[in-house]
């Protein structure tokens, strides 16, 4: 049974979501402050964290920052205010796996949790594919989920790795945002969803260049292409 950690200062919402998750076959624990949430997330007892952005004292952005600062790869799903693009972008840049705008239905939240966990299981199963993928100075080892750029290791979040792997497997071909969402995020592309753009911007930054110098090129109105050379 996968255990879900809910971090939200809305105690009634936490209780309601905990009950719903348990009916859906998950184990669930709700905590109401960021500091406790960070400690629990780093305990190794949970399979995923659902983290609200708007909390007093330590907000969700700072909690996520502290979780990732400890090199924890636990999947994190952010709950953000509807229409608040700034928090979503910051969360994704800090290593959140995905976000859900509030208010959301329990059914929608569970669907998104399952998509992230399904993607994580696919990542584990992909480790059976031996060998490496190479495109120009980039090398990816799916088995150990490692990446090197020009001979130096590249530190990517889980979602960034998934997106880069899909692009490299299709190097030289334009990959639509719909394909990237389904294959790398494990869910259909939502209307006005900018998460893929933010993740790829972060990857470009880690590769050491912007759009003009990056092997990841934007094909407007379609998607992205990883250049072979």
């Amino acid at each position: 049974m996968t255990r879900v950690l809910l971090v939200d200062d809305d105690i009634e919402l936490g209780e309601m979501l905990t009950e719903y998750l348990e009916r859906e076959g998950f184990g669930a624990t709700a905590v109401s402050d960021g500091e406790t949430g960070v400690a629990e997330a780093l305990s190794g007892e949970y399979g995923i964290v659902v983290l609200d952005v708007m909390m007093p004292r330590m907000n969700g952005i700072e909690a996520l920052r502290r979780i990732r600062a400890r090199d924890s790869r636990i999947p994190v799903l952010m709950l953000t205010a509807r229409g608040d693009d700034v928090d979503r972008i910051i969360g994704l840049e800090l290593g959140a796996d995905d976000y859900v705008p509030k208010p959301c239905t329990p059914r929608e939240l569970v669907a998104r949790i399952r998509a992230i966990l399904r993607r994580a299981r696919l990542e584990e199963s992909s480790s059976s594919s031996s060998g490496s993928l190479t495109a120009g100075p980039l090398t990816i080892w799916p088995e150990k989920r490692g990446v090197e750029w020009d001979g130096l290791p590249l530190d990517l979040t889980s979602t960034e790795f998934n997106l880069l792997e899909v692009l490299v497997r299709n190097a030289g071909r334009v990959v639509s945002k719909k394909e990237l969402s389904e294959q790398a995020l494990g869910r259909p592309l939502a209307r006005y969803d900018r998460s893929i753009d933010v993740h790829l911007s972060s990857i470009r930054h880690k590769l050491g260049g912007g759009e003009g110098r990056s092997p990841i090129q934007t094909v407007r109105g379609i998607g992205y292409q990883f250049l072979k050379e």
Side-chain angles (χ1 to χ4, degrees):
M1 179 187 295
T2 300
R3 294 191 64 191
V4 180
L5 174 64
L6 298 167
V7 187
D8 195 318
D9 65 318
D10 186 333
I11 295 175
E12 282 190 19
L13 177 63
E15 291 175 349
M16 184 265 288
L17 290 176
T18 296
E19 182 179 338
Y20 189 88
L21 284 163
E22 288 174 346
R23 289 205 307 267
E24 292 293 313
F26 295 94
T29 299
V31 299
S32 58
D33 67 276
E35 287 190 5
T36 303
V38 171
E40 288 293 311
L42 296 173
S43 69
E45 297 182 6
Y46 300 92
I48 187 170
V49 179
V50 178
L51 182 60
D52 185 33
V53 170
M54 297 299 294
M55 292 186 291
R57 295 188 298 276
M58 184 189 295
N59 64 27
I61 296 296
E62 180 58 26
L64 175 62
R65 193 190 311 274
R66 296 193 185 191
I67 291 169
R68 292 300 185 231
R70 296 290 295 273
D71 294 327
S72 172
R73 300 287 183 176
I74 187 170
V76 175
L77 177 64
M78 301 292 290
L79 296 178
T80 66
R82 189 173 297 277
D84 194 342
D85 285 342
V86 174
D87 282 340
R88 296 177 191 177
I89 291 170
I90 292 173
L92 293 171
E93 289 176 341
L94 288 174
D97 291 82
D98 210 344
Y99 65 83
V100 174
K102 294 175 73 175
C104 65
T105 65
R107 183 177 180 181
E108 179 185 4
L109 183 64
V110 168
R112 196 64 64 88
I113 287 171
R114 284 189 168 134
I116 293 173
L117 293 173
R118 184 165 57 248
R119 190 172 78 223
R121 286 193 293 271
L122 287 173
E123 291 169 10
E124 293 176 2
S125 65
S126 72
S127 66
S128 60
S129 60
S130 59
S132 61
L133 303 171
T134 302
L138 183 80
T139 303
I140 294 181
W141 288 271
E143 181 175 355
K144 61 182 181 180
R145 294 185 66 76
V147 183
E148 281 189 2
W149 172 252
D150 208 13
L152 297 175
L154 202 62
D155 185 21
L156 301 177
T157 68
S158 176
T159 301
E160 289 170 354
F161 182 93
N162 293 341
L163 285 164
L164 188 58
E165 182 181 1
V166 172
L167 288 174
V168 172
R169 288 188 182 277
N170 294 276
R173 181 177 79 83
V174 179
V175 183
S176 70
K177 290 180 67 173
K178 178 177 180 291
E179 289 178 272
L180 285 169
S181 185
E182 291 171 351
Q183 295 180 35
L185 302 186
R187 60 175 173 83
L189 180 67
R191 194 176 185 185
Y192 306 123
D193 189 346
R194 295 185 56 206
S195 58
I196 289 174
D197 306 309
V198 176
H199 285 305
L200 289 175
S201 175
S202 176
I203 296 171
R204 282 187 179 127
H205 178 73
K206 292 177 180 181
L207 293 175
E211 168 83 19
R213 293 181 293 168
S214 173
I216 301 173
Q217 296 295 300
T218 302
V219 181
R220 296 194 181 280
I222 303 177
Y224 293 89
Q225 179 183 27
F226 194 97
L227 302 179
K228 284 186 174 181
E229 299 296 336

